[in-house]
Amino acid sequence: MSYLVALAREKHFGRAAERCHVTQSTLSSGLKALERELDMRLVIREPRFIGLTPEGERVVEWASQIISDYESLKQDVEGLRQGLKGILRLGVVPAAMPAVAKLTSPFCAKYPNVAIDIESMSSVQIQSALDKFEIDAGLTYLDNEPLSNVRRKPLYREHYLFVTHKDNPIAQSDTVTWRTAVSENLCLLQESMQNRRVLNNITRSLGLKLSPTITSNSFLAVCSHVCSGEWSSIIPHTFSYIFAGCNELALIDMVEPVHSQAIGLVASDRDPLTPLAHALMRCADRLDLEAELSLKSLHSV
């Protein structure tokens, strides 16, 4: 089953074998043995990998869950004797990256034998990865495009700031309206990212349209262009941490309207939760990120 799941992900016999740390012949023999056991064809070969049969696609769904449950069982039982171990796989939307350490730091302090693998993902990718048991949990938007079949734990509400060079006349203002911000030379995320779709929805409700001259799927690229002094941007308030100490930039509250979006932790809605996801959820229950990430505290950085 592990071979079949790897093949479904890699779509190539050689890469799937490497992923499973076996030879390609061992992988092929294992797949044929699974086909004999289930008495059905799962893989289309001619002789290279063409795809999975409809039966194969369905078996992959079951196999992914069975493998995940087996790994969770081992973690749960071993945890009773030795404490929680393993690798926590966490998908995070780019807009939440500045805040993720507020969650992982207390988790690592409590579970020192657990490593964390963080991957930047869109909200759509987080949904897919949870459905395929490729991650244990996600940090994403909760109410704009809510995920399905998940448990959720609200952590904080994301507010928006206008960031621009100090020489921009707007930099002297205490607040900036969305109408004014839209008219500036902007660098924003691409529309494939939910943060950008949130901004689109806000401006559309005001009868406005965002027309950035540069877009990217990475906030790092956005930060780079803003720091150049030629572009401005609209950013989540948590990115104040990224720009802290940069005297060349001004961070200004967005008004008319003041808008916020819920960011939270999500995990597959299954019982029992995987030990790692359960531990992360319990850790999140003890946090007050809304207070830690308040606008007031950020502006004082």
Side-chain angles (χ1 to χ4, degrees):
M1 287 189 289
S2 297
Y3 295 168
L4 183 65
V5 170
L7 183 61
R9 292 177 181 172
E10 299 295 337
K11 305 186 185 307
H12 186 276
F13 286 113
R15 291 195 299 269
E18 290 179 9
R19 186 185 186 99
C20 296
H21 306 292
V22 298
T23 64
Q24 189 168 328
S25 60
T26 298
L27 181 110
S28 295
S29 297
L31 293 172
K32 290 176 181 177
L34 182 61
E35 289 178 321
R36 288 195 300 270
E37 182 176 342
L38 297 177
D39 193 24
M40 62 182 67
R41 188 185 185 195
L42 304 176
V43 181
I44 304 173
R45 312 172 180 83
E46 292 184 358
R48 62 184 178 84
F49 176 74
I50 302 299
L52 300 178
T53 65
E55 295 85 355
E57 296 283 358
R58 183 60 60 87
V59 171
V60 165
E61 294 178 9
W62 279 100
S64 297
Q65 182 170 338
I66 291 169
I67 293 168
S68 176
D69 286 343
Y70 178 66
E71 292 299 323
S72 296
L73 182 153
K74 290 197 298 180
Q75 288 175 350
D76 199 7
V77 175
E78 290 174 356
L80 295 175
R81 297 179 300 175
Q82 305 173 10
L84 195 60
K85 294 182 178 181
I87 299 176
L88 172 68
R89 301 161 300 169
L90 183 62
V92 181
V93 292
M97 279 295 185
V100 68
K102 296 290 185 181
L103 175 63
T104 57
S105 181
F107 179 87
C108 289
K110 185 171 180 60
Y111 302 102
N113 294 322
V114 176
I116 301 179
D117 180 54
I118 298 172
E119 185 169 349
S120 178
M121 295 180 168
S122 68
S123 56
V124 173
Q125 290 172 326
I126 288 176
Q127 176 78 77
S128 176
L130 286 171
D131 291 342
K132 296 178 181 178
F133 307 97
E134 294 173 351
I135 60 174
D136 298 290
L139 192 58
T140 185
Y141 291 93
L142 297 183
D143 51 11
N144 184 59
E145 296 172 5
L147 276 63
S148 59
N149 303 315
V150 297
R151 298 185 187 185
R152 62 199 70 205
K153 166 64 181 175
L155 294 178
Y156 66 93
R157 296 196 68 84
E158 175 183 276
H159 305 270
Y160 301 99
L161 303 175
F162 182 77
V163 57
T164 191
H165 194 269
K166 68 177 183 178
D167 292 337
N168 188 329
I170 298 176
Q172 308 307 314
S173 305
D174 294 328
T175 61
V176 59
T177 67
W178 288 84
R179 185 172 299 276
T180 298
V182 166
S183 66
E184 292 293 303
N185 185 29
L186 295 176
C187 176
L188 300 173
L189 288 185
Q190 296 170 349
E191 294 189 351
S192 61
M193 312 304 291
Q194 189 170 170
N195 172 268
R196 172 63 188 282
R197 297 196 294 273
V198 169
L199 301 186
N200 284 350
N201 290 339
I202 297 171
T203 53
R204 191 180 298 117
S205 70
L206 300 172
L208 305 172
K209 182 179 180 181
L210 285 170
S211 299
T213 56
I214 292 185
T215 60
S216 173
N217 66 350
S218 167
F219 260 120
L220 186 60
V222 173
C223 293
S224 173
H225 285 84
V226 169
C227 288
S228 75
E230 297 183 41
W231 285 268
S232 301
S233 189
I234 301 170
I235 60 173
H237 71 288
T238 51
F239 273 77
S240 293
Y241 285 120
I242 305 300
F243 293 115
C246 185
N247 297 325
E248 297 297 309
L249 300 178
L251 301 171
I252 311 168
D253 293 330
M254 299 284 295
V255 296
E256 297 181 23
V258 175
H259 187 86
S260 66
Q261 292 285 152
I263 299 286
L265 187 63
V266 295
S268 295
D269 188 15
R270 50 192 303 209
D271 193 13
L273 275 175
T274 67
L276 293 173
H278 178 67
L280 187 63
M281 282 288 189
R282 289 184 61 188
C283 182
D285 285 336
R286 295 188 289 269
L287 302 177
D288 186 0
L289 294 193
E290 184 65 41
E292 286 195 58
L293 299 171
S294 67
L295 284 170
K296 182 177 179 181
S297 64
L298 285 171
H299 284 180
S300 65
V301 172

